[in-house]
Amino acid sequence: MIEGGQRMASAYSARESHRKAAADKDANGSGGDKRGAIVSSPHWGAFIDQLGLHQGLNGGSRPDPSLGARLKDALAASLRMDLDSGASGWRAADARAAAVDFAIGRLTAAASPDARDLAVIAVGGYGRGLLAPYSDIDVLFLLPREAGDDALRAIEGVLYPLWDAGLTVGHAAHDLRGAATALKVDVTTCTSYLDARLVAGDKTLFRQFQTNFDVHRRRTAGRFTKAKLEELKRRRETAQSVVYDLEPDLKEGRGGLRDLDALGWIYRYLTGDDPWRPDGSLDVLLPDEADRLRRARQHLWSVRTHLQDLAGRADDQATFEFQPRLAERLGYADRRRASAAERLMKHLRLNALTVTRLSRIAFARLEERTAALSHWRPRATPKPLTSDEAEGRPNVRLRTGRLDFTSATAARHSPIDLFRIFRAKAKRPELELHPDALELIGAVARTLPQECRDDVAICDIFLATLETAKRPLSILRNMSESGLLGHYLPTLRRVTGQVEYGLYRRYSIEETIFRSLDAYARLRFRDLGDAHPIAAGLLRRKARRRAALVSILLQETEWAVADRTTENVERAARRIARRFIVDERTVADVAWCAARPDQLIDVAERRNIGAAETILDFAADVGSVSRLETLLILTVCRHIAVSENRWNAWTRRQVGALYFGTRAALAGGAPALAAFRSEEEAALAAAFEAADLEAPGQNAAARAARFAQEGALRLPPQLLVRGLRTLAAASGRPDGIDVDIAEAEAGYEAVVAAPDRPGLLADLAAAAAAAGASVRLLHAMLADGRALDFFVFAPIKDGVAQRETEFLTGLSERLRAGAAGRLDAEGAPRPLLGDRRGLFRVAAKVRVDAEAIAGQTLIEVEGRDRPGLLKDLARALTEDGVAIRSAHIATYGAKACDAFYVGPADGTGGFTRKKLTAIEARLVAALEAAP
């Protein structure tokens, strides 16, 4: 169809030879754009002529609409050939801009045979010479002062084929005076015209436009720079970070292409030089750093081009569904410790980190170029910055309102100075670091000697920075971006840019640590103390602060260890912890917690903590009260940061109950735990008495004891009171069924009371799935001979009041029908719109513990979550002759982790090994079944 030598995406060497010819022509007065020769290239003309693009260019009336279709085919073929041939996305974007240049040149030549009628100028993103597959094409039609109808017809002759080709064209038409007036209206027009380059038409007219613009540019450089920096600051306050967000916006995110655009605009406005041209300069950075920034820009552009091609729309967010396909296109393969998608995103984040670090330096230097004289006035160093935990005066001063080294030479030879300047920033977080200081820190950090990691003075300064910073997030990011943090703690350097591919985490591994440390500061100084009084109270003790801080810092050590066994992770964490802590017992506590950062919350959510055996087993694992306290603080800080909605009232209740029960067991063993449980039962009995819910022949204490035996002490007392009311209401109904649903902090709480029978839990789970409800947590028990099930459902996403009412009504009706065993047979529930759990693979696992609780067998399953999974698991157990005593449901993004305490439905003593093997096989089949 299209021969190899006659296509838009030809060999790049041929294209570069055309560009070299264009540059030579520019030097002899062809205009200010190096694309000039491409517009008249015989190579491009041959391809367009072959596709018949020349047909319909009739030089006056509106072009034939089929011309746009042929142009669309030509551009699509060009892009497809570039990308399919293995060209980088950056090269493809470059080629697409060249192809559009050529097409507009041919259209202009046909529509306006007299080149003096107008000049067609590329502006905005198109003017920068890179076009993603769905980028807008911004064009300025520059007209002579006495332009007539012929010029307007010529503009239509260019625009109509572009529109018919499906291109989004932003356009304006001005004469020279109108263009000059538009410059004065707003900064956006100045920004757009800054990238102006001639595509076709009158070169003299374009030169006059450039001259006028340069005069305006020189007059308004300071105002433009200030406006752009303020715009940048506003955007960064709301934009997510390409470095830390799991689904980054490549264009608008911090560290993305918009940051690079802003840097290029300000630099070009101040100097007149385009820093992104191959021969352009960027003298606010060292030459090798400027080259590194250009390479990062090319990588971001490559990913963006492929992303838009895959999405089929102007989408710049690298969401999970596109990441594996992007990795495949860009040549990434799976490795033992990381998937191809994770490797791509790590490389992307490292490039974004380069953009963040170097643009911070460049923006600061550009700001200083236009600063008022008062900005340069010397200021005394604030007194708090003249001393810290180390000996001698810190090598820190204020320079142009930023923190800098008093002596750069001394800082190059004294690594502790690099840490002391961040200690100063912890005291005065409103002060930014001077670009010279940032540059020096980055250079020295790369050669940080090994002995610095064991230096006690550096250790004290580093920990004091984290312990006392009220807002440590920006400090940690600055330290990471400069490379200092990663070279000081190599385990952190190994996880820089690393992600866990899935829906559970909100941030990258490194950002999870940073956010956890910020939660630590919020517990101590800011807004979390009231919500988490136990953890906040523990942090009032200095010894506990240090242990908790180091355990938070080391919580992701698993990701830096080749063989990720718990023992290896604990060994690596212990080795690092010894640098910060002298006491060996505390070191052991920190290492144990860092190797098991999720153990407390896993047991709280996935075990029957109402059973004494569960508490005693967990206490035996933990081993000491000091370790338990450290683990609690780590759990709170980590799970506030790690995932959206991970920490709520239900979670807080379970963790608190496990913590206090374990603390009692550690203090005095089983007797102390029994005494603690008696106090809990007494409190629950008091709640029952206050609610006046006693049934004939049963007092509040007896009810509370029965609920405790069923593990219900893990539930809030007010929810258990609702359970009793539901039981009472059910006893007065002919079918013995009642359902109570109410809104709660964690979503919706539902209580179902019904006659117990085999398959009841499966039917209730089916009812919830049919109603579109997502079960977040579940506790099932028996009370007064009836089944009493407590559900927590995730909130509906849109939150519209009318839809919420309809949802709750439908859920209540279906739960009643399910409890009665008359739920209509329905197919497998379909995922809701926006449900992305199906994108991920989660290995199916089944573990059985026949000795977890006396008389009950624990079956724990893991697999990919989906609508109706709980129903399928419960039904598989029921059909295998298994009675579910209680169920404990937890979800981690796309992974479901469900624990069932079960026994034989016929009431016999236990399961044979053969029976357990059959149950495991059936559950694995349910986990692996297609949704």
Side-chain angles (χ1 to χ4, degrees), residues 348-552:
L348 177 69
R349 286 178 174 84
L350 290 175
N351 278 295
L353 192 67
T354 296
V355 173
T356 302
R357 177 175 66 87
L358 296 180
S359 64
R360 187 189 303 277
I361 294 172
F363 282 128
R365 287 190 170 138
L366 290 171
E367 184 178 16
E368 289 193 343
R369 287 188 178 183
T370 58
L373 289 177
S374 60
H375 179 74
W376 298 91
R377 185 181 304 143
R379 291 173 55 190
T381 303
K383 187 174 181 180
L385 308 188
T386 59
S387 63
D388 55 29
E389 289 73 13
E391 294 182 359
R393 184 185 175 99
N395 181 15
V396 176
R397 63 166 175 160
L398 279 184
R399 177 182 167 201
T400 64
R402 291 185 171 93
L403 291 170
D404 195 9
F405 296 108
T406 306
S407 170
T409 302
R412 288 190 183 93
H413 297 90
S414 178
I416 194 173
D417 287 351
L418 278 58
F419 293 86
R420 296 181 83 173
I421 198 169
F422 284 108
R423 179 72 182 98
K425 181 168 175 56
K427 294 179 180 181
R428 296 289 298 271
E430 76 279 6
L431 296 176
E432 296 292 336
L433 268 62
H434 194 277
D436 290 353
L438 286 170
E439 195 169 73
L440 189 150
I441 293 169
V444 175
R446 287 194 288 270
T447 59
L448 200 68
Q450 172 65 37
E451 54 266 25
C452 289
R453 297 174 187 144
D454 300 317
D455 188 294
V456 176
I458 290 179
C459 167
D460 289 343
I461 289 290
F462 176 68
L463 289 182
T465 300
L466 299 185
E467 283 183 344
T468 62
K470 295 184 178 180
R471 299 186 181 276
L473 194 57
S474 63
I475 296 173
L476 288 161
R477 287 174 173 173
N478 283 174
M479 293 182 77
S480 175
E481 291 161 8
S482 68
L484 180 62
L485 187 60
H487 285 86
Y488 182 60
L489 289 172
T491 53
L492 285 183
R493 183 173 58 188
R494 296 188 191 108
V495 302
T496 299
Q498 181 69 48
V499 298
E500 182 178 18
Y501 183 64
L503 295 174
Y504 175 52
R505 291 181 185 262
R506 282 186 290 180
Y507 307 107
S508 66
I509 304 299
E510 184 184 38
E511 179 73 352
T512 298
I513 298 173
F514 296 169
R515 296 267 179 172
S516 299
L517 289 167
D518 190 63
Y520 170 93
R522 292 170 64 191
L523 278 173
R524 286 196 64 199
F525 305 117
R526 287 151 58 195
D527 59 331
L528 289 180
D530 292 339
H532 303 276
I534 305 169
L538 293 173
L539 285 175
R540 295 190 185 100
R541 290 152 44 192
K542 184 175 181 181
R544 190 58 53 232
R545 289 202 298 269
R546 178 65 58 94
L549 184 68
V550 178
S551 68
I552 294 169

Side-chain angles (χ1 to χ4, degrees), residues 42-219:
H43 159 71
W44 297 100
F47 183 45
I48 289 180
D49 289 345
Q50 183 184 14
L51 290 177
L53 193 59
H54 62 290
Q55 299 173 11
L57 296 172
N58 47 28
S61 61
R62 177 177 173 177
D64 182 353
S66 66
L67 176 60
R70 291 195 293 275
L71 175 58
K72 181 178 181 179
D73 291 342
L75 293 174
S78 167
L79 178 67
R80 188 79 280 122
M81 290 179 183
D82 271 332
L83 296 179
D84 290 350
S85 66
S88 70
W90 174 71
R91 290 286 190 183
D94 176 80
R96 184 169 178 82
V100 173
D101 283 358
F102 187 88
I104 289 178
R106 290 295 301 271
L107 292 170
T108 304
S112 177
D114 187 350
R116 294 171 298 176
D117 283 350
L118 79 163
V120 183
I121 301 170
V123 295
Y126 175 38
R128 292 190 289 279
L130 292 171
L131 282 178
Y134 293 91
S135 291
D136 293 353
I137 297 172
D138 297 323
V139 179
L140 170 64
F141 294 98
L142 195 61
L143 306 171
R145 190 170 183 179
E146 300 82 12
D149 292 341
D150 290 344
L152 297 180
R153 281 193 294 270
I155 292 174
E156 292 180 350
V158 174
L159 287 177
Y160 278 116
L162 298 179
W163 287 332
D164 291 339
L167 300 175
T168 302
V169 184
H171 66 283
H174 290 297
D175 59 15
L176 286 172
R177 179 178 295 178
T181 301
L183 282 175
K184 301 173 184 178
V185 173
D186 59 12
V187 174
T188 302
T189 302
C190 290
T191 306
S192 178
Y193 287 4
L194 184 62
D195 296 307
R197 59 183 178 82
L198 181 66
V199 175
D202 192 336
K203 298 180 180 64
T204 301
L205 197 60
F206 177 67
R207 290 195 196 97
Q208 292 174 340
F209 169 83
Q210 282 188 310
T211 300
N212 293 346
F213 180 81
D214 282 342
V215 171
H216 179 80
R217 176 180 64 79
R218 293 187 181 96
R219 289 175 177 172

Side-chain angles (χ1 to χ4, degrees), residues 575-653:
R575 186 171 59 251
I576 302 169
R578 286 194 179 104
R579 291 163 47 188
F580 301 110
I581 300 171
V582 175
D583 178 61
E584 193 60 32
R585 181 179 174 183
T586 306
V587 167
D589 288 348
V590 167
W592 190 93
C593 294
R596 303 165 181 83
D598 298 318
Q599 183 148 339
L600 178 61
I601 201 166
D602 283 350
V603 172
E605 288 190 337
R606 296 156 62 177
R607 293 291 183 270
N608 182 1
I609 61 174
E613 296 96 323
T614 301
I615 304 294
L616 292 171
D617 288 346
F618 181 67
D621 286 342
V622 175
S624 69
V625 172
S626 63
R627 184 174 292 179
L628 177 66
E629 291 175 347
T630 300
L631 184 61
L632 175 68
I633 299 169
L634 170 60
T635 300
V636 172
C637 294
R638 173 178 172 81
H639 290 280
I640 286 172
V642 71
S643 181
E644 187 176 8
N645 297 324
R646 188 69 184 90
W647 193 274
N648 51 51
W650 186 286
T651 307
R652 184 164 55 246
R653 168 74 188 183

